[in-house]
């Protein structure tokens, strides 16, 4: 009888291995979920730099188009004066 109890006790960790992993994943899930949410809601420095660079390039393109349009209008006004 003692051998059966000893054998059952020795086999318990092997049989409960899946349960332990499941329990561990259930316990760690909230921590991982909060970490992922923080990642989604915050902007890293590299993302901020990339966004700022994109914003500045668009602004420079817009200013370039406006400058060309103003130069073209100025040339047309000079031609009409002649």
């Amino acid at each position: 009888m003692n051998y059966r109890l000893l054998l059952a006790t020795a086999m318990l960790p092997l049989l409960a291995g899946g349960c332990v992993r499941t329990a561990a994943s259930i316990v760690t899930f909230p921590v991982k979920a909060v970490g992922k949410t923080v990642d989604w809601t915050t902007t890293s420095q590299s993302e901020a730099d990339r966004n700022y660079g994109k914003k500045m390039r668009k602004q420079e393109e817009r200013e370039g188009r406006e400058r060309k349009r103003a130069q073209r209008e100025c040339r047309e006004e000079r031609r009409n004066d002649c």
Side-chain angles (χ1 to χ4, degrees):
M1 187 83 165
N2 287 336
Y3 292 113
R4 288 183 186 171
L5 182 60
L6 182 62
L7 182 62
T9 306
M11 299 271 305
L12 187 60
L14 297 174
L15 296 174
C19 295
V20 171
R21 273 184 252 148
T22 302
S25 65
I26 290 171
V27 170
T28 59
F29 176 74
V31 175
K32 291 179 181 180
V34 168
K36 193 59 91 169
T37 302
V38 169
D39 286 344
W40 285 339
T41 58
T42 59
T43 303
S44 68
Q45 188 61 46
S46 63
E47 288 174 317
D49 292 343
R50 186 178 59 236
N51 292 340
Y52 179 75
K54 185 176 180 180
K55 178 182 169 184
M56 293 308 293
R57 282 190 301 278
K58 286 188 175 197
Q59 181 179 346
E60 289 172 357
E61 289 174 9
R62 185 174 50 251
E63 290 171 353
R65 285 191 302 268
E66 291 171 359
R67 193 177 315 109
K68 285 182 181 180
R69 189 184 74 239
Q71 289 173 349
R72 188 178 334 114
E73 289 174 358
C74 184
R75 282 193 304 265
E76 289 174 1
E77 286 176 11
R78 283 191 223 151
R79 261 190 253 154
N80 292 336
D81 290 341
C82 297

